Each structure stands twice: as structure tokens, then as C-alpha cells.
């Protein structure tokens, strides 16, 4: 069947893209301000037009088919271009004033947000941005923040969430430390080395045991609830430390251990209150954050 690109409906393409990124019809409907049946009809109309099955049900969620993944690679640049046009248009509005509060982990706040806020300030000079750097989940329902960056999808129905990136992390150690104690060849070797803990040691032991690295509390000689402090202790040669690959790549003295077989994938969700749909300033910052995180 020949497909006329001029007859493809952008609303249907956008419905498909947002559903793919949110991984559920209900979440995508909240993002787009549509009812779930309307969104479902739009996705079905696109599938009918293309003659392809784009999604399949997996439990309570949706997963892209191979065809869906291929189509998404072409639709996302269109979505990004639309975002850029929206941001450029929004920047011309005179009501882009006042505060927008963002909450994120200490590491994300320090390594990502300064550059994004600089771009926001250039785009909308009258906006003021506050960053709440915390590893606790701030309550958007009580308006402790306008926008949150999280590593899990929120369950609250009044929140709008978009998964903007599937990130990867590795386990790093300072090269001087590895030169001194030797480089591990197996996960069991890593259990003989010193580690730096993020927060609760017992919880970290349990998590690492689940990755077939049989640590005990005795492996942890240093610890901090602050991710940046823990990372700096790792950089000082005090032991193995997990970190997002984008941060680890910026520290040439740090070496990823067993990178071919040992990595952790984790989603990055951008979350806001429903006011996202009616507040130009929150919408602008949300979209610029989404673009920056996706490109990281």
C-alpha cells in the first residue's frame, strides 16, 4: 500500500510519539490533555493509515513493536522540531515572568541544570528559576516544586509525566586505586575491593547482591547520602562508586569496571503538575529540560 505523506495527520503522529515515550495510554493522555479513548482512536487511526501494528500490550503497559520502533525514529525529530518552534514562540510572550521551581537529585542538579537554566534565561530573561537539589522525592501535589526529574514513573493521576531518556550507569574506580589493588576480571573480584556507599549501606548491599556482586557492609569504608560527595570520594581513590555514564565520561581519571557486562539502565522521567497545560512559563522550562535530557 502506497502512503501519501501529505495525508498523515500530525495529531496522530504526535499521539503515537507521546504514547511511545510515556509507555502507557493513560499517561500520554494526561500529557496531551486528551481523554484516553480519544488518544487510543488517534493511535489506531495511524496504525490503520500505515498498515502497521505499532504497539503490543505487555501487562498493564504498552511496548513498541519492531515496526513501531522504526517509525518512532522518524517521528521524534518532527516532535523535537515542533518543540523548538513552540519554545521560540513562547519566548516572545510578555507573561513569561516569575519563579519556576525544579527539583532533581544533587548530581542532576549540579551536572545538568546549570546549562539548562542558562539557556532558559537567554530565552526568557524575566524568568526566575529555583533548584531544589535533593535525593528525596518532592511532593508536586503539594506544590513543593513545579517540575521534578525522577527515575521512576509517578502514580499520582494529577501529574503529567514523560519518560525522556533511558540512561545507563557503570561502576567506576580511580585508575590510581586500580593500579594499586588490581583490576577486577569478574564480579566476584569486585566483592574483594573497597566501595563508596550512597546513603543506606544495607540497601546498597542488597542491591549489589541482586547484581551477583556479593558485597557485605565491610566493603564500604566511606559513605555519604549526598551523591556528589560520594562521587568525589570515589574520584579520590577511596573505592568503587556507581555513576551515570554522562558524569563518568567527564572524569578521565575514573575507569568503568567490566563495562561490557556490568551496567545499569534507569529511566529519566520529567514530571509536572497539570498546570503544565495552562502555564506558559512551566511549559517552556519543561520542554527545554526534556530536550536537554534527551540529548545528554
Amino acid at each position: 500500500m502506497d502512503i501519501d505523506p501529505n495525508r498523515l495527520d500530525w495529531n496522530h503522529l504526535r499521539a503515537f510519539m507521546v504514547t511511545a515515550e510515556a509507555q502507557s495510554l493513560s499517561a500520554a493522555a494526561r500529557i496531551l490533555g486528551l481523554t484516553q479513548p480519544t488518544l487510543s482512536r488517534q493511535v489506531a487511526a495511524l496504525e490503520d493509515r500505515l498498515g502497521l501494528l505499532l504497539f503490543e500490550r505487555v501487562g498493564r503497559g504498552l511496548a513498541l513493536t519492531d515496526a513501531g520502533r522504526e517509525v518512532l525514529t522518524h517521528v521524534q525529530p518532527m516532535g523535537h522540531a515542533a518543540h523548538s518552534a513552540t519554545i521560540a514562540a513562547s519566548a516572545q510572550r510578555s507573561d513569561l515572568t516569575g519563579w519556576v521551581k525544579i527539583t532533581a537529585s544533587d548530581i542532576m542538579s549540579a551536572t545538568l541544570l546549570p546549562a539548562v537554566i542558562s539557556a532558559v534565561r537567554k530565552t526568557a530573561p524575566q524568568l526566575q528559576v529555583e533548584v531544589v537539589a535533593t535525593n528525596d522525592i518532592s511532593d508536586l501535589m503539594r506544590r513543593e516544586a513545579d517540575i521534578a526529574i525522577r527515575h521512576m514513573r509517578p502514580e499520582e493521576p494529577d501529574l503529567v509525566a514523560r519518560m525522556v531518556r533511558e540512561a545507563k550507569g557503570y561502576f567506576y574506580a580511580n585508575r590510581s586505586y586500580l593500579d594499586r589493588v588490581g583490576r577486577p576480571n569478574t564480579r566476584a573480584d569486585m566483592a574483594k575491593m573497597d566501595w563508596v556507599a550512597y546513603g543506606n549501606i544495607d540497601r546498597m548491599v542488597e542491591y549489589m547482591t541482586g547484581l551477583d556482586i556479593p558485597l557485605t557492609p565491610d566493603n564500604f569504608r566511606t559513605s555519604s547520602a549526598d551523591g556528589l560527595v560520594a562521587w568525589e570520594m570515589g574520584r579520590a581513590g577511596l573505592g568503587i562508586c556507581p555513576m551515570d555514564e554522562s558524569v563518568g565520561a567527564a572524569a578521565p581519571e575514573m575507569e568503568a569496571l567490566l563495562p561490557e557486562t556490568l551496567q545499569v539502565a534507569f529511566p529519566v522521567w520529567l514530571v509536572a503538575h497539570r498546570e503544565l497545560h495552562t502555564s506558559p512559563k512551566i511549559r517552556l522550562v519543561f520542554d527545554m529540560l526534556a530536550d536537554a535530557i534527551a540529548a545528554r
Side-chain angles (χ1 to χ4, degrees):
M1 178 181 69
D2 293 330
I3 299 171
D4 183 355
N6 294 318
R7 299 186 63 188
L8 289 177
D9 190 320
W10 165 244
N11 288 324
H12 297 171
L13 292 167
R14 182 181 61 169
F16 160 68
M17 180 185 70
V18 175
T19 301
E21 292 174 345
Q23 299 181 343
S24 85
L25 284 168
S26 59
R30 288 196 295 271
I31 292 171
L32 293 172
L34 301 173
T35 65
Q36 187 169 328
T38 297
L39 178 65
S40 182
R41 285 194 296 272
Q42 290 184 352
V43 172
L46 179 63
E47 290 181 321
D48 184 61
R49 170 64 65 183
L50 297 177
L52 297 171
L53 181 65
L54 302 175
F55 293 104
E56 56 187 357
R57 286 274 180 191
V58 178
R60 298 176 60 186
L62 293 173
L64 286 166
T65 62
D66 289 342
R69 281 189 287 272
E70 176 63 24
V71 172
L72 184 62
T73 63
H74 299 284
V75 174
Q76 280 182 321
M78 299 168 62
H80 295 156
H83 272 150
S84 297
T86 300
I87 289 170
S90 295
Q92 304 305 311
R93 297 183 60 148
S94 60
D95 57 352
L96 286 175
T97 62
W99 286 93
V100 175
K101 184 184 291 188
I102 306 168
T103 182
S105 69
D106 46 15
I107 292 171
M108 189 77 76
S109 296
T111 62
L112 171 73
L113 293 188
V116 176
I117 294 170
S118 177
V120 168
R121 294 279 293 116
K122 291 177 182 177
T123 302
Q126 300 306 311
L127 271 186
Q128 298 161 286
V129 181
E130 178 183 354
V131 174
V132 180
T134 176
N135 294 321
D136 296 326
I137 295 178
S138 296
D139 192 343
L140 272 70
M141 298 300 296
R142 292 186 300 186
R143 305 315 300 269
E144 293 175 0
D146 298 304
I147 301 171
I149 303 173
R150 295 181 176 177
H151 296 306
M152 63 183 71
R153 183 164 66 185
E155 300 297 330
E156 299 92 336
D158 287 331
L159 297 181
V160 176
R162 183 194 304 173
M163 194 186 82
V164 290
R165 180 171 174 248
E166 184 77 19
K168 287 190 298 185
Y170 295 96
F171 296 90
Y172 293 89
N174 188 289
R175 297 182 191 279
S176 63
Y177 171 76
L178 296 172
D179 289 342
R180 187 171 73 251
V181 304
R183 285 163 172 77
N185 294 311
T186 65
R187 300 188 187 201
D189 290 342
M190 294 174 67
K192 302 172 187 176
M193 303 171 73
D194 290 338
W195 285 68
V196 178
Y198 284 179
N200 187 285
I201 290 177
D202 290 336
R203 191 174 302 165
M204 196 160 179
V205 167
E206 180 181 2
Y207 180 78
M208 299 310 302
T209 300
L211 293 179
D212 295 325
I213 302 176
L215 301 185
T216 72
D218 290 339
N219 286 100
F220 296 93
R221 301 297 182 180
T222 50
S223 175
S224 176
D226 186 301
L228 281 175
V229 173
W231 176 241
E232 290 302 318
M233 290 193 292
R235 292 181 66 185
L238 293 174
I240 300 173
C241 189
M243 182 49 66
D244 183 306
E245 64 173 337
S246 62
V247 179
E253 76 278 12
M254 299 296 280
E255 182 176 324
L257 305 179
L258 309 182
E260 294 82 9
T261 60
L262 183 58
Q263 57 182 256
V264 178
F266 56 94
V268 181
W269 288 86
L270 203 54
V271 187
H273 194 267
R274 280 181 181 270
E275 189 184 345
L276 174 72
H277 298 308
T278 58
S279 172
K281 65 181 180 181
I282 296 176
R283 176 90 252 179
L284 174 71
V285 177
F286 188 95
D287 286 343
M288 293 187 74
L289 274 170
D291 290 343
I293 294 171
R296 196 174 189 200

